[in-house]
Amino acid sequence: MPDDTSRFIRACRGEPHDTIPVWFMRQAGRYQPSYRALRQRYSMLQLARTPELIRDITVRPVEDLGVDAAILFSDIMIPLASLGIDFDIQENVGPVVAQPVETRADVDALKPFDATDVDFVLEGVERTVSALNGVPLIGFSGAPFTLASYIVEGAPSRTYRRTKHMMWQEPDTFAMLMERLADMVIAYLKAQAAAGASALQIFDSWVGALSVADYRDSVLPHMVHIFSSLIELNLPLIYFGVGNQHLLEAMASTGASVLGIDWRTPLSQARTMLGPSITLQGNLDPERVTAGMDTAEQGAIDICRAMRGDPRFIFNLGHGVPKETDPAVLKHIVDRVHAMGGDGA
Amino acid sequence: MPDDTSRFIRACRGEPHDTIPVWFMRQAGRYQPSYRALRQRYSMLQLARTPELIRDITVRPVEDLGVDAAILFSDIMIPLASLGIDFDIQENVGPVVAQPVETRADVDALKPFDATDVDFVLEGVERTVSALNGVPLIGFSGAPFTLASYIVEGAPSRTYRRTKHMMWQEPDTFAMLMERLADMVIAYLKAQAAAGASALQIFDSWVGALSVADYRDSVLPHMVHIFSSLIELNLPLIYFGVGNQHLLEAMASTGASVLGIDWRTPLSQARTMLGPSITLQGNLDPERVTAGMDTAEQGAIDICRAMRGDPRFIFNLGHGVPKETDPAVLKHIVDRVHAMGGDGA
């Protein structure tokens, strides 16, 4: 059962809590010696497909850092295999798709998502929840646009050219692809909730590449569909993007209960823009934690001071933990944020 | 002499003009068969160091496309050689610096900028102005932060880690570097103006990687210094960044008379945010011009409709012309924008 008394869940809901909750995106990853040791023996996909390893990797940063939530160790590409998409995660490249989706026929050929194809994830969630002793587990999925960008481009892209071309030139094909992916996201996250996840985060990491008009026309309706389908779970729903200051108002209108903010926008400005009823999560520049203890701490202090007393604030980085991070810096940040919030968050 | 009756200059100044002026960032470049042919024979740096070639390359898109301004063909790295920085422009990589600037001693060792070191640029400006028959020439420079990011990182970066580390950990060293670069930018742009440029654009392409607080603390004072030093030229001063929606208000407060806006933010929203007294330049998604005639045209029409009647609007892309662009699409966009603006811009 989710621990509703956790400060993380309470901050998601805007309920009183004792201090500022903190967790880090990619808190399980290459900056950890324990993770690097596992990667000597297993590929990323092997790790993400083995329930015991999912559990061990997911729990470890909670033990090591004292963060207030765990996030499922996985990769946003994982559920796409159920649709019949063949991909690999290549070292120093990222996800590479064998046969990119290009045509309406390619979209029509996608299989319906079947949660039994990701049994290993769901078993990983169950095992993790048992091991976490009440610390909430955040389940997650990629968002349709960000997933579409990978399966249409075939590999990480800086321009998202093919994806944008499909969106503009074949809007019905693009909408059908987004629908198929949205249906997958809904089913995948519902399955994670049924397996015991206490909150759900949707990563739309690359959506900031779109103009406001393109987001509103081609992405927003699918996100509204997703969030309105998940509301019955009564779990916190977190929506996150990068380089997306221009989209924050639209993204806050989707029905998400928590918005993840990258490091660019001051949270106080996001609060003014978005009003008091959405929880804000963020937003230390990830490069601050690679810059050592003092620089990281000063950045964390500035953010916590600006958000002092805000009942809907969760501390995090503005993007994932860089692999060059010293774990001791993260540990110190957790302690410092907890100490700062103790006086009235 | 600048042609003050040109619609481009008049739009920069908010004076009445006959239709919407249009030019394209990187309108001289690899999408042109003529440019690709030259690059078979010369390196990028050879082209940028030969006045006759600067002239020919700069003038060509005015002839081919009918744009309302030329922009000096060069590279933002060019003036850095005068400071003693040894760099190369590598194919498919970008600028690579032999000895990155790391310490205060490295900054102190930079030579003062000497405009005679860029005689070839200034002669290129003079020859181009003569050949342009009154079409305004936009001179340009990189901005201190974007230049610093290249010379501190040593190569293009996605994180700007070293630059940010210097900014946070050695703020005096970083400020001194920014001062030296700002002094260079001022002298370089004044020299271009003296050689006949009718307007000056400062490219701060990567400044969007900074938080608002970091921009205000570590970049804004240098930009204010630059623009206040250039105001005596009485020329339009354009400031441009990418992924910088969060910085637009601060960037508009520098003293720039024109702000270049990337494709993410609707110009109407930028107008509301920034008020009526700054000219806005942009902002078609560059991937629209790689998507063919109809998609490009529809995007251009939407922008021109939204800005109808605004006396301070210059049409451009939101970033440089991609090398895969069909020149015929650009030509069509120029004609279409001119036709749309004819009824009251």
Side-chain angles (χ1 to χ4, degrees):
Chain A
M1 285 294 295
D3 178 357
D4 282 359
T5 65
S6 83
R7 58 175 76 106
F8 168 75
I9 297 291
R10 297 184 70 86
C12 289
R13 294 185 170 150
E15 297 167 356
H17 49 284
D18 61 340
T19 188
I20 299 166
V22 51
W23 68 281
F24 301 111
M25 288 181 282
R26 218 184 295 142
Q27 64 191 10
R30 282 192 169 276
Y31 78 95
Q32 297 171 295
S34 59
Y35 182 84
R36 289 197 299 270
L38 278 171
R39 286 287 278 101
Q40 297 280 328
R41 295 164 57 201
Y42 304 99
S43 74
M44 198 279 157
L45 288 176
Q46 284 174 315
L47 296 178
R49 286 173 173 154
T50 309
E52 297 77 9
L53 295 173
I54 293 173
R55 175 198 61 202
D56 293 348
I57 296 171
T58 303
V59 170
R60 186 67 183 256
V62 177
E63 297 171 344
D64 287 353
L65 304 178
V67 288
D68 297 299
I71 181 152
L72 178 67
F73 174 77
S74 190
D75 186 274
I76 64 168
M77 300 298 285
I78 290 288
L80 294 171
S82 178
L83 274 48
I85 292 167
D86 181 22
F87 63 88
D88 191 23
I89 312 281
Q90 291 185 4
E91 196 73 29
N92 298 321
V93 175
V96 175
V97 172
Q99 301 236 286
V101 170
E102 294 176 349
T103 64
R104 177 59 183 254
D106 293 340
V107 175
D108 290 340
L110 293 174
K111 293 189 290 182
F113 176 73
D114 179 348
T116 62
D117 291 336
V118 292
D119 264 347
F120 54 89
V121 173
L122 305 175
E123 192 184 329
V125 170
E126 287 170 10
R127 285 174 186 253
T128 303
V129 170
S130 297
L132 278 171
N133 294 317
V135 173
L137 174 67
I138 304 167
F140 80 89
S141 173
F145 176 79
T146 293
L147 293 171
S149 78
Y150 283 115
I151 66 183
V152 174
E153 304 290 332
S157 167
R158 297 193 72 161
T159 62
Y160 308 98
R161 175 171 297 162
R162 288 162 185 261
T163 315
K164 288 180 173 180
H165 285 190
M166 184 190 285
M167 184 176 75
W168 293 323
Q169 297 177 318
E170 303 289 342
D172 294 344
T173 299
F174 184 77
M176 184 56 66
L177 175 60
M178 291 288 283
E179 261 183 52
R180 302 293 294 270
L181 291 169
D183 288 344
M184 181 195 83
V185 169
I186 293 165
Y188 185 46
L189 290 175
K190 283 188 174 177
Q192 292 183 44
S198 295
L200 301 169
Q201 176 153 329
I202 300 180
F203 285 85
D204 214 351
S205 306
W206 311 137
V207 77
L210 296 182
S211 71
V212 173
D214 284 331
Y215 181 83
R216 288 192 179 273
D217 288 348
S218 304
V219 177
L220 182 59
H222 303 283
M223 297 310 304
V224 169
H225 173 56
I226 290 172
F227 284 111
S228 62
S229 301
L230 295 176
I231 203 161
E232 68 189 44
L233 298 172
N234 197 27
L235 296 182
L237 305 173
I238 311 171
Y239 188 23
F240 171 73
V242 181
N244 61 331
Q245 151 91 8
H246 57 300
L247 302 178
L248 290 179
E249 287 178 278
M251 289 175 74
S253 76
T254 53
S257 43
V258 181
L259 205 60
I261 309 282
D262 87 1
W263 67 93
R264 293 174 174 87
T265 307
L267 291 184
S268 55
Q269 188 181 320
R271 175 60 74 213
T272 302
M273 190 190 305
L274 304 175
S277 59
I278 192 162
T279 294
L280 301 178
Q281 176 175 283
N283 73 343
L284 189 66
D285 190 329
E287 294 309 331
R288 281 212 176 242
V289 300
T290 66
M293 206 64 92
D294 293 347
T295 301
E297 175 171 291
Q298 191 55 55
I301 288 172
D302 289 346
I303 289 167
C304 291
R305 282 210 179 120
M307 294 302 283
R308 186 184 295 269
D310 192 313
R312 289 186 180 273
F313 167 50
I314 296 161
F315 188 90
N316 206 314
L317 305 187
H319 202 176
V321 177
K323 66 177 190 288
E324 298 82 359
T325 302
D326 176 357
V329 171
L330 291 187
K331 174 82 182 94
H332 181 68
I333 294 300
V334 172
D335 294 343
R336 198 70 186 77
V337 169
H338 282 162
M340 284 207 59
D343 62 8
Chain B
M1 284 294 296
D3 178 358
D4 282 1
T5 63
S6 82
R7 58 175 75 108
F8 168 74
I9 297 291
R10 296 184 70 85
C12 289
R13 294 184 170 151
E15 295 167 357
H17 48 285
D18 61 340
T19 188
I20 299 166
V22 51
W23 68 280
F24 302 111
M25 289 182 281
R26 219 182 296 143
Q27 64 191 12
R30 282 190 169 278
Y31 79 94
Q32 298 172 294
S34 58
Y35 182 84
R36 290 197 300 270
L38 278 172
R39 285 287 278 102
Q40 297 280 329
R41 296 164 57 199
Y42 304 100
S43 73
M44 198 279 158
L45 288 176
Q46 284 174 313
L47 296 180
R49 287 173 172 154
T50 308
E52 297 77 10
L53 294 173
I54 293 173
R55 175 198 59 203
D56 292 348
I57 296 171
T58 302
V59 170
R60 186 69 183 254
V62 176
E63 297 170 344
D64 287 353
L65 303 177
V67 289
D68 297 299
I71 181 155
L72 178 67
F73 175 77
S74 190
D75 187 275
I76 64 168
M77 300 298 284
I78 290 289
L80 294 170
S82 177
L83 306 191
I85 292 167
D86 181 21
F87 64 87
D88 192 23
I89 313 282
Q90 291 184 3
E91 196 72 26
N92 297 321
V93 175
V96 175
V97 172
Q99 302 235 288
V101 170
E102 294 176 348
T103 65
R104 178 59 184 253
D106 293 340
V107 175
D108 289 340
L110 294 174
K111 293 189 290 181
F113 175 74
D114 178 348
T116 62
D117 291 336
V118 291
D119 263 347
F120 54 90
V121 173
L122 305 176
E123 193 185 328
V125 170
E126 287 170 10
R127 286 174 185 252
T128 303
V129 170
S130 297
L132 278 171
N133 293 318
V135 173
L137 174 68
I138 304 168
F140 81 89
S141 174
F145 176 80
T146 293
L147 293 171
S149 79
Y150 283 114
I151 66 182
V152 174
E153 305 290 331
S157 167
R158 297 194 70 160
T159 62
Y160 307 98
R161 174 170 297 162
R162 290 162 184 261
T163 315
K164 287 181 174 182
H165 285 192
M166 183 191 285
M167 184 177 74
W168 293 322
Q169 296 178 319
E170 303 289 342
D172 293 345
T173 299
F174 184 77
M176 183 57 65
L177 175 60
M178 291 289 283
E179 261 183 51
R180 301 293 294 271
L181 292 169
D183 288 344
M184 180 194 83
V185 170
I186 292 164
Y188 186 46
L189 290 176
K190 283 187 173 178
Q192 291 181 45
S198 295
L200 301 168
Q201 175 153 330
I202 300 180
F203 285 85
D204 214 351
S205 307
W206 312 136
V207 77
L210 296 181
S211 71
V212 174
D214 284 332
Y215 180 83
R216 289 193 178 272
D217 289 347
S218 304
V219 177
L220 182 59
H222 303 284
M223 297 311 303
V224 169
H225 173 56
I226 290 171
F227 285 111
S228 61
S229 301
L230 295 177
I231 204 162
E232 68 188 44
L233 298 173
N234 197 28
L235 296 183
L237 305 173
I238 312 170
Y239 189 22
F240 171 73
V242 180
N244 61 330
Q245 151 91 10
H246 57 300
L247 303 179
L248 290 180
E249 287 178 278
M251 289 174 75
S253 76
T254 54
S257 42
V258 181
L259 205 59
I261 309 283
D262 87 2
W263 66 94
R264 294 173 172 87
T265 307
L267 290 184
S268 55
Q269 189 181 320
R271 174 61 74 213
T272 303
M273 190 190 304
L274 304 175
S277 59
I278 193 163
T279 294
L280 301 178
Q281 176 174 283
N283 75 343
L284 188 66
D285 189 329
E287 294 310 330
R288 281 214 176 241
V289 299
T290 66
M293 206 64 93
D294 292 348
T295 301
E297 175 170 293
Q298 190 55 54
I301 288 172
D302 289 346
I303 289 168
C304 291
R305 283 210 178 119
M307 295 302 282
R308 186 185 294 268
D310 192 314
R312 289 186 180 272
F313 167 49
I314 297 161
F315 189 91
N316 206 313
L317 305 188
H319 203 174
V321 177
K323 65 176 189 288
E324 297 82 359
T325 302
D326 177 357
V329 171
L330 292 186
K331 174 80 182 95
H332 182 67
I333 294 301
V334 171
D335 294 342
R336 199 71 186 77
V337 169
H338 282 163
M340 285 208 55
D343 62 9

